[in-house]
Amino acid sequence: MTPHRERVVVIGAGLAGSLAALYLARRGHTVDVHERRPDPRTAPPGAGGRSINLGLSARGMRALDGVGLLDDVLKRSVPMRGRVVHAPDGSVRFQPYGVREHEILHSVLRDELISLVVEAAEAEPGVRFHFGSRLLRLDRDTATVEVAPTGGGESTRITADWVVGADGVFSTVRQQMQHGLRSDYAQEFLPWGYKELTIPVGPDGRPRVRLEALHVWPGHEALMVAHPNRDGSLTCSLFMAHEGPVSFAALDTPAAVRDFFRRHFPDAEDLMPNLVDEIAGHPTGHLVTVRTAPWRHADRMVLIGDAAHAVYPFYGQGMNSAFEDCLVLDGCLADHPTDRAAALAAYEAARKPHTDVLADLSTANFVDLRDRVHRTGYTLSAAADRVLSRLLPGRWVPLYTMVAHTTTPYADALARARRQERVLRGAGAGLALGAVVALAAGLGAGRRTGGRRTSC
């Protein structure tokens, strides 16, 4: 517990902001959370405008477990034990995510997850959520914010001990906190966007495809992935260029939509009876990467989640890394109970190098999902990684396993994976097992990836 009950204002009640509020409340703070959108517990599904499904993995699970929510979340999820890859030639292949029982992902509905976290945070003494409340301005030196109802009305000024910016990729907190200071900011839009589509249950009420898997339709000009839902349906995300010959702009007639799917995803059209209406009626989302510094100002302000490090969704780590932010920030506050400036500095130092690497990994995985997952070379390489992981448990760990199924910091995971790649190259075509074992022993000595503590 901190020496006194501090007042914290959190801007943004999405995934990161809601979980941060819960962690802060458990640390004894009074927390006010302001969110411009409606309450997710009463708003229509998808009203937030974000992708509907998320893949929960080890980092997010550990952060949820830290506040006792993991079991409740898992009850509301569907396990995904691997990918089902629908190749352009019509073939279908299953690729397991790992070699051990726990090395799976869990598909969960975004709004349902946020609602659960909001409910838990609001049950804590001193936590209040203010939905339909937007940030107008802030004073970074006094931790004063001015907020107003989104529908119009008088503004209110609030002075807190400190402010948490969890207001997403286009963060107002970040913009105003960094204004006039020496700061770095880079924003990159992917030329592709996405639409949310649906594979409903069949006429018999049963799933149309294998449910406990992430379904992937790769393609150089378009990519589609589908997450399973508990009712037997799947939520699809179609990724492609905004404009051009093969793009969302080109899908301007029912005939163009059907022709596009027959050419690019030949087995998907029959699974999606509402395809034409959904293409025409659903909005097109943007894909953005953000890198910035600093993430904090003195002992008054700090950024978490997409406000600090938005990434493309192709490694499934956006939510998981945001949840991990909350866990690490809580640990840094515990390590520096009387020096909040030191805690916030330690949090940024612990997280930023790794989230920068995550941005690179997410971009690289876009290329893998789009161009490589259906090719023989990729399949053989992944199989070899799994074989080595099984033969050398704890000593040979595939990059994907480290990122998705452990809490190994992202930069450490990439560095270790590169060392392992050098081992494979040095072992030659025959993969001389003696050399692999000797080198892997050096790589893995004294290290464990499954339960590693992420801390300041």
Side-chain angles (χ1 to χ4, degrees), residues 136-187:
L136 299 179
R137 59 189 58 86
L138 62 82
D139 184 323
R140 63 188 172 225
D141 294 315
T142 63
T144 300
V145 300
E146 184 176 353
V147 295
T150 54
E154 293 294 322
S155 64
T156 303
R157 288 174 62 85
I158 305 161
T159 298
D161 289 291
W162 53 295
V163 176
V164 177
D167 50 339
V169 62
F170 303 114
S171 169
T172 302
V173 173
R174 181 186 63 228
Q175 294 167 12
Q176 297 196 22
M177 182 188 80
Q178 294 179 346
H179 181 72
L181 300 179
R182 294 188 301 275
S183 58
D184 295 323
Y185 177 73
Q187 173 181 290

Side-chain angles (χ1 to χ4, degrees), residues 240-308:
M240 61 190 303
H242 288 280
E243 299 173 344
V246 180
S247 68
F248 286 116
L251 302 183
D252 53 358
T253 67
V257 171
R258 297 196 182 281
D259 179 65
F260 165 81
F261 268 80
R262 287 166 188 161
R263 283 187 292 114
H264 291 271
F265 311 126
D267 66 337
E269 183 185 6
D270 290 342
L271 304 174
M272 307 170 77
N274 304 316
L275 175 61
V276 170
D277 290 342
E278 289 187 334
I279 288 286
H282 291 185
T284 303
H286 298 289
L287 301 169
V288 188
T289 291
V290 165
R291 303 173 198 251
T292 192
W295 288 9
R296 62 348 188 248
H297 177 70
D299 64 346
R300 295 296 190 179
M301 316 205 75
V302 69
L303 304 175
I304 62 173
D306 283 356

Side-chain angles (χ1 to χ4, degrees), residues 95 218 367-379 381:
Q95 299 175 350
V367 178
D368 283 349
L369 289 174
R370 184 188 66 184
D371 297 336
R372 298 185 61 228
V373 293
H374 60 294
R375 301 193 183 280
T376 302
Y378 181 94
T379 303
S381 176

Side-chain angles (χ1 to χ4, degrees), residues 95-153:
Q95 299 175 350
Y97 279 134
V99 299
R100 295 168 183 85
E101 183 64 26
H102 73 277
E103 293 175 350
I104 63 174
L105 307 182
H106 299 268
S107 177
V108 60
L109 291 169
R110 175 187 290 272
D111 287 345
E112 191 169 347
L113 176 56
I114 293 176
S115 295
L116 190 151
V117 180
V118 168
E119 198 75 33
E122 201 170 53
E124 294 289 326
V127 176
R128 294 179 296 179
F129 282 82
H130 310 268
F131 293 99
S133 177
R134 64 190 178 97
L135 175 66
L136 299 179
R137 59 189 58 86
L138 62 82
D139 184 323
R140 63 188 172 225
D141 294 315
T142 63
T144 300
V145 300
E146 184 176 353
V147 295
T150 54

Side-chain angles (χ1 to χ4, degrees), residues 199-228:
I199 297 177
V201 295
D204 59 357
R206 305 175 78 175
R208 295 173 186 257
V209 295
R210 177 174 180 167
L211 199 63
E212 291 192 350
L214 177 75
H215 288 256
V216 180
W217 285 263
H220 186 71
E221 294 179 306
L223 162 70
M224 188 165 70
V225 301
H227 288 77

